[in-house]
Amino acid sequence: MSEASFASRLNSAMSLRHMKQVDFVRAANGSGIRLGKSHISQYASGKTTPRPDIMRFLADTLNVREDWLSGEDVPMERESAEPKPESPRRTADGSTLNLHASVSESASSPKGHPMRRFNKSTKLDNVLYDVRGPVVDEAARMEATGTHVLKLNIGNPAPFGFRTPDEVIYDMAHQLPECEGYSASKGLFSARKAIMQYAQLKNLPNVSIEDIYTGNGVSELINLSMSALLDNGDEVLIPSPDYPLWTACVNLAGGTAVHYLCDEQSEWYPDIDDMRSKITDKTKAIVVINPNNPTGALYPKEVLQQIVDLAREHQLMIFSDEIYDRLVMDGLQHISIASLAPDLFCVTFSGLSKSHMIAGYRVGWMVLSGNKNVAKDYIEGINMLTNMRICSNVPAQSIVQTALGGHQSVNDYIVPGGRIYEQRDYIYNALNSIPGVTAVKPKAAFYIFPKLDVKKFNISDDEQFALDLLHDERILITRGGGFNWHEPDHFRIVYLPRIEVLKDATVKLTEFLSYYRQ
């Protein structure tokens, strides 16, 4: 089968049936089939062809012959006995009730009406989370067939031998009998007290125990904080590249994510002029990710001060994602932006997933600080949503006090001789030694965001690059576009594996790029 022939026929049939790519995604969701917009885009552009089961689904949805769609010289239309797809049925408010039904789903209800189908919310149409997206789905399919895949796509410490400190496990085990019931919605007193004291050490102003909220990881709290704040059309400034959950949660809440550039030529620091140019009368807040994921950048005080000055000038809130604040190398110090803004309202996020290598325990927190008088109504909204989810994971909350007090085992990893430090140095040097690849040295976290010479490799689609690397070398990375980066010239590598594993991966990447042309 010719991919070009298939793509041509797919596009022709879509035009004839008045269908868009999103129609297939909705139909697949209603049929229990895993299919994303990126998959359809690959098919429609002729870059790849679907598996047999997906080919059948596409043919059924379009109501065309499968052998015609796959490129054979046969009529397009099915036999007359086969039902043709119905036009989408609309409810009174104009929403789609029933998309083009597949043959197997074209049965009528007892009253003779077409069967009702349930589609995902259109609020998800602009939500992207490619850290666990189509390329990851393809890797899972390959693993299901017995293929080993090296996963350099996600910051999950446990599979790479980073263990939870023994004291943390011991304390959780001994407190489990006391964690069978709900806690207060904001969290256990002991956990919140420890977090409050940590916030004081970071010089966050005007923080009491009532300003501390625990969550099932920072992810839950990001979603909650955006949902409590945004009305349709409200804008939030978010870095590009970003941790994509921020953009996804803003869009899901009805807001608009507006991306300000971070400058690779300046250690990936935020471009303040670009940030300023994107502020409008609809802008409510600025998001800062420091230390940054995916670049590993650490922002100095003078950069943070410029952001504070901008927020002060335009009366904006500041959301600061600081989950990696204890994974800082090279003798540098992390500064919480809220400590520079006592007159502004700030929300600071952190947790134990990375610093204590307990990603699966799901324990994070957010701290409200500064001028809370201007956010009384918003805080009521946060409290309402916090109460609605009852509480966060109580066993995980029980170890916060232990984790934040005493010896910080992560410090042994981030100094010369420590695993994260040495692996950071290795991957930085190895990537920069590959012709056509450059990378800025990370100062924190455990990610690096290398740049590809797109002219040398003729790259126009970073997702296709990630798929090709996966297929050829069994290495899974996350494309730059997955972090809302605007060009197809970057990808993120997690450098948690030991050096011998990273060495094998970079040897394979070097070999792959020696012949790869998209």
Side-chain angles (χ1 to χ4, degrees):
M1 173 178 54
S2 163
E3 291 183 353
S5 176
F6 162 73
S8 175
R9 293 192 175 188
L10 175 64
N11 287 308
S12 295
M14 288 171 60
S15 177
L16 184 65
R17 305 301 194 214
H18 305 291
M19 294 183 67
K20 298 180 180 179
Q21 292 183 15
V22 70
D23 293 332
F24 290 103
V25 178
R26 291 171 178 164
N29 187 63
S31 302
I33 295 173
R34 299 185 70 177
L35 191 68
K37 286 190 287 186
S38 295
H39 293 117
I40 301 299
S41 178
Q42 294 284 326
Y43 305 151
S45 64
K47 293 175 181 175
T48 187
T49 53
R51 304 189 307 267
D53 59 326
I54 300 298
M55 181 70 79
R56 285 192 295 274
F57 166 76
L58 295 173
D60 284 348
T61 305
L62 289 164
N63 198 34
V64 299
R65 290 177 54 150
E66 183 181 340
D67 48 1
W68 174 84
L69 187 60
S70 64
E72 295 185 25
D73 188 17
V74 294
M76 180 187 79
E77 297 291 349
R78 293 180 167 182
E79 299 298 326
S80 58
E82 293 183 288
K84 293 184 178 181
E86 298 191 16
S87 298
R89 296 173 62 85
R90 304 280 177 178
T91 61
D93 63 1
S95 59
T96 300
L97 179 62
N98 184 38
L99 290 173
H100 302 267
S102 66
V103 172
S104 61
E105 297 171 332
S106 60
S108 296
S109 67
K111 294 183 179 181
H113 298 297
M115 294 290 285
R116 181 180 183 183
R117 298 178 64 178
F118 298 92
N119 305 313
K120 68 177 173 64
S121 168
T122 56
K123 290 185 293 185
L124 292 170
D125 287 349
N126 295 318
V127 172
L128 172 75
Y129 192 74
D130 268 11
V131 176
R132 296 176 182 263
V135 182
V136 176
D137 291 343
E138 176 63 9
R141 185 195 66 78
M142 292 168 61
E143 286 186 314
T145 65
T147 302
H148 172 71
V149 174
L150 175 58
K151 297 176 181 177
L152 302 180
N153 67 309
I154 191 168
N156 188 17
F160 301 109
F162 289 94
R163 310 309 309 173
T164 304
D166 290 342
E167 186 181 11
V168 169
I169 295 176
Y170 177 88
D171 280 21
M172 177 179 277
H174 279 260
Q175 293 182 87
L176 276 176
E178 302 168 19
C179 298
E180 295 176 345
Y182 299 131
S183 73
S185 60
K186 291 183 181 181
L188 293 172
F189 177 85
S190 62
R192 293 162 64 213
K193 185 72 171 181
I195 295 165
M196 185 191 77
Q197 292 170 337
Y198 182 72
Q200 291 171 343
L201 292 175
K202 300 285 287 188
N203 297 313
L204 271 62
N206 191 24
V207 175
S208 73
I209 198 165
E210 290 306 312
D211 301 314
I212 312 295
Y213 298 75
T214 63
N216 296 300
V218 168
S219 300
E220 180 190 38
L221 296 171
I222 291 173
N223 194 8
L224 186 152
S225 63
M226 293 298 102
S227 297
L229 176 67
L230 299 175
D231 290 319
N232 290 340
D234 287 344
E235 296 177 356
V236 177
L237 295 182
I238 296 176
S240 174
D242 72 339
Y243 178 57
L245 185 73
W246 279 102
T247 296
C249 288
V250 168
N251 291 339
L252 186 61
T256 299
V258 178
H259 294 102
Y260 63 85
L261 293 178
C262 295
D263 185 1
E264 187 170 16
Q265 303 304 312
S266 299
E267 299 286 336
W268 284 116
Y269 296 160
D271 184 329
I272 303 299
D273 288 338
D274 187 65
M275 184 184 293
R276 180 182 292 107
S277 72
K278 291 174 177 174
I279 295 174
T280 72
D281 57 0
K282 296 181 179 179
T283 307
K284 277 198 167 180
I286 298 174
V287 171
V288 176
I289 303 175
N290 178 41
N292 188 265
N293 173 11
T295 65
L298 180 72
Y299 302 158
K301 183 177 181 179
E302 55 268 26
V303 170
L304 297 173
Q305 186 64 58
Q306 290 181 73
I307 297 172
V308 168
D309 293 343
L310 201 59
R312 181 177 292 125
E313 178 185 349
H314 295 276
Q315 300 187 58
L316 303 177
M317 290 174 53
I318 296 176
F319 292 97
S320 187
D321 184 342
E322 302 181 0
I323 189 70
Y324 298 97
D325 69 338
R326 280 148 288 164
L327 285 162
V328 174
M329 292 170 275
D330 304 324
L332 300 172
Q333 295 294 318
H334 175 267
I335 299 172
S336 287
I337 192 170
S339 69
L340 307 176
D343 57 322
L344 302 180
F345 180 67
C346 300
V347 184
T348 303
F349 301 81
S350 194
L352 302 179
S353 296
K354 313 301 182 180
S355 63
H356 286 72
M357 308 301 173
I358 52 175
Y361 287 26
R362 308 310 296 134
V363 54
W365 58 80
M366 67 180 181
V367 181
L368 313 185
S369 68
N371 185 2
K372 288 169 281 187
N373 288 328
V374 300
K376 287 182 178 179
D377 195 56
Y378 171 56
I379 294 171
E380 285 185 15
I382 288 178
N383 290 337
M384 180 183 297
L385 293 180
T386 301
N387 290 335
M388 286 167 60
R389 60 91 203 244
I390 308 299
C391 68
S392 66
N393 178 352
V394 180
Q397 292 181 51
S398 73
I399 53 93
V400 171
Q401 187 175 41
T402 296
L404 288 180
H407 174 66
Q408 299 296 296
S409 59
V410 72
N411 291 339
D412 299 332
Y413 294 131
I414 57 177
V415 294
R419 273 193 62 185
I420 292 177
Y421 183 97
E422 298 298 332
Q423 289 161 196
R424 184 276 308 260
D425 279 6
Y426 176 81
I427 197 69
Y428 167 72
N429 291 319
L431 287 170
N432 279 290
S433 70
I434 301 174
V437 179
T438 56
V440 176
K441 193 172 189 177
K443 301 297 191 299
F446 34 65
Y447 310 105
I448 191 167
F449 200 56
K451 182 177 183 179
L452 295 161
D453 184 336
V454 292
K455 292 183 178 178
K456 176 180 176 65
F457 304 117
N458 194 37
I459 294 175
S460 60
D461 185 331
D462 58 356
E463 183 173 85
Q464 188 62 48
F465 167 77
L467 283 167
D468 292 339
L469 178 62
L470 174 65
H471 290 148
D472 285 16
E473 300 296 344
R474 313 298 189 257
I475 297 173
L476 178 61
I477 52 92
T478 306
R479 67 188 184 98
F483 302 99
N484 292 292
W485 183 245
H486 56 288
E487 298 289 346
D489 58 355
H490 282 76
F491 62 100
R492 188 188 73 171
I493 283 182
V494 175
Y495 54 84
L496 285 170
R498 293 188 180 276
I499 286 179
E500 54 267 30
V501 179
L502 293 174
K503 182 176 181 180
D504 180 57
T506 51
V507 167
K508 289 179 177 178
L509 178 61
T510 302
E511 171 62 22
F512 174 75
L513 290 175
S514 70
Y515 65 80
Y516 183 72
R517 301 295 181 272
Q518 195 169 91

